[in-house]
Amino acid sequence: QVQVVESGGGLVQAGGSLRLSCAASGSIFSVNTMGWYRQAPGKQRELVAFMNEGGGANYADSVKGRFTISRDNAKNTVHLQMNSLESEDTGVYYCNADVRTRRGGPLFRYWGQGTQVTVSS
């Protein structure tokens, strides 16, 4: 059993900052990619950023230069520093972790329950 738990969402004014955190725990042998998606009301879930275990990061064009993803492999945590927030960043932010539960086993993507981010204009 693997659990993924997000924290750090909230209400912020446009131009402000928030930091999201996510921790994966449980029966983990190794974690590959960890990342963040978001879903705005009435829209599909979209990728925000992800980072592989080697530290390589990718970002959606809409957040480049404003958001920074980081992770601690020893703790199986990933963080998303969000600066210069815009109303368009409002949504539920979901963390995911691609996990192997045993040596040589398949990767499986686990999701957190999501954390609400609301940016007021």
Side-chain angles (χ1 to χ4, degrees):
Q1 190 79 357
V2 175
Q3 297 81 40
V4 176
V5 179
E6 305 101 336
S7 62
L11 173 64
V12 65
Q13 288 188 331
S17 299
L18 279 176
R19 179 177 169 86
L20 305 183
S21 296
C22 169
S25 62
S27 301
I28 294 174
F29 174 77
S30 65
V31 180
N32 194 334
T33 298
M34 297 186 77
W36 294 92
Y37 283 70
R38 68 186 180 190
Q39 187 166 18
K43 294 187 177 180
Q44 289 188 327
R45 191 176 296 190
E46 63 176 2
L47 173 70
V48 177
F50 67 88
M51 178 173 278
N52 61 34
E53 58 187 330
N58 283 272
Y59 297 90
D61 288 342
S62 59
V63 307
K64 283 180 181 177
R66 301 187 298 121
F67 291 11
T68 303
I69 189 170
S70 61
R71 65 185 281 180
D72 184 332
N73 289 341
K75 297 180 179 179
N76 293 328
T77 57
V78 65
H79 308 280
L80 187 68
Q81 178 65 44
M82 305 185 294
N83 299 328
S84 302
L85 283 161
E86 303 167 353
S87 56
E88 291 77 14
D89 297 316
T90 293
V92 179
Y93 283 67
Y94 298 91
C95 175
N96 71 269
D98 295 340
V99 175
R100 281 191 175 85
T101 57
R102 57 182 173 83
R103 184 186 299 274
L107 278 173
F108 189 84
R109 176 159 291 184
Y110 293 87
W111 292 90
Q113 292 297 308
T115 185
Q116 177 71 44
V117 171
T118 303
V119 184
S120 63
S121 56

